Structure formats: structure tokens, C-alpha cells
Amino acid sequence: MPKLKTITIVYIIFFVVLNAQARTPKVDEIQLMQDKINQAYKLGYVNAAPIEMEAIEKKVIAARTAKDSRKKKQFVKLIEEIKVDFTIVKKRYEANLLYDKLKKIQQKNLESKKVLDELKGQL
């Protein structure tokens, strides 16, 4: 009988240890958002959408207070809003790049038209 108890105890300990190792580590959403903010500053997204970045920073602070006060629904909602706001900031940055590219092409087009008009005048 004591052998059976020790074997079951060993099995229980073995499965508890395996179960503890199988858990996924908790991800700190606030730290991820803070890293995204830092990356946005490095990549220059802030220049494209400074108002949105300011709103994102305020939402991160609100999410941190919601997490500290254990308001899970509010925390999850704020994290989702922050993620959406980041996509908006990124798209605005990309739109600004495309707009600058368009302005350069339009400027080249105007210069080409001037050259064409000069050549037509010479004929």
C-alpha cells in the first residue's frame, strides 16, 4: 500500500510540474504598447499624427490605471482602442509619404510641360 501512495504522489507531482511549465507566460500589454510608442517616435510616425499620438499616450495611462484598479473590461477596451489608433497613425504616415511622392511627381510634370512649351515655341 505505501508503494501505491508514493507512486501516485510522484505521478501527481510530475503532472503538476508539467502543467506549470505548459502555461503560457502572461504578456504585459501596457509594456507592448509602450514599446510601440517608442518605435513610433523612432520611425517618425509622430510627425505625421501628433494629436493621435498624444491621445494614445493618454489612453496608455488610462489603461494602466484601469489595470491597477482591476477593471478588466475597461482595460481590454482601451488596449483595443490603442491598437486601432496605432494603425491609424501608421496609415496616416504612409499617406503622407505617398502625398509627398505625388507632389514630387507633379513638380516634375510641371517642369516637363515648361520644357515642352519652350520646345514648341522654338519650332
Side-chain angles (χ1 to χ4, degrees):
M1 194 68 165
K3 247 185 178 183
L4 182 63
K5 285 183 181 178
T6 56
I7 290 173
T8 55
I9 290 173
V10 169
Y11 277 128
I12 290 172
I13 291 173
F14 178 72
F15 286 118
V16 167
V17 169
L18 283 180
N19 189 22
Q21 289 178 351
R23 288 187 180 176
T24 57
K26 289 187 177 182
V27 177
D28 188 14
E29 293 287 334
I30 303 246
Q31 185 61 39
L32 288 176
M33 294 302 117
Q34 198 64 40
D35 292 342
K36 278 190 173 186
I37 289 173
N38 293 339
Q39 184 181 13
Y41 277 105
K42 287 180 185 175
L43 295 175
Y45 291 169
V46 179
N47 297 333
I51 296 171
E52 285 82 1
M53 286 302 296
E54 184 177 327
I56 288 172
E57 290 172 356
K58 287 180 182 178
K59 286 180 184 179
V60 167
I61 293 169
R64 182 172 286 131
T65 57
K67 184 179 180 182
D68 291 342
S69 62
R70 297 182 182 181
K71 296 179 181 177
K72 182 142 179 117
K73 288 182 182 179
Q74 185 180 7
F75 174 73
V76 170
K77 181 182 172 188
L78 285 170
I79 292 296
E80 290 300 318
E81 287 178 11
I82 292 169
K83 288 178 182 177
V84 170
D85 288 344
F86 268 119
T87 58
I88 290 170
V89 168
K90 185 176 179 183
K91 294 299 178 184
R92 178 164 291 174
Y93 176 76
E94 292 171 0
N96 285 350
L97 288 178
L98 291 173
Y99 182 72
D100 290 341
K101 190 175 180 181
L102 175 67
K103 283 176 64 177
K104 288 179 184 177
I105 291 172
Q106 286 176 340
Q107 185 65 30
K108 286 181 183 179
N109 191 12
L110 284 174
E111 291 173 4
S112 298
K113 282 183 181 180
K114 285 182 184 177
V115 171
L116 181 65
D117 287 341
E118 288 176 3
L119 291 174
K120 282 183 180 178
Q122 290 177 0
L123 288 176

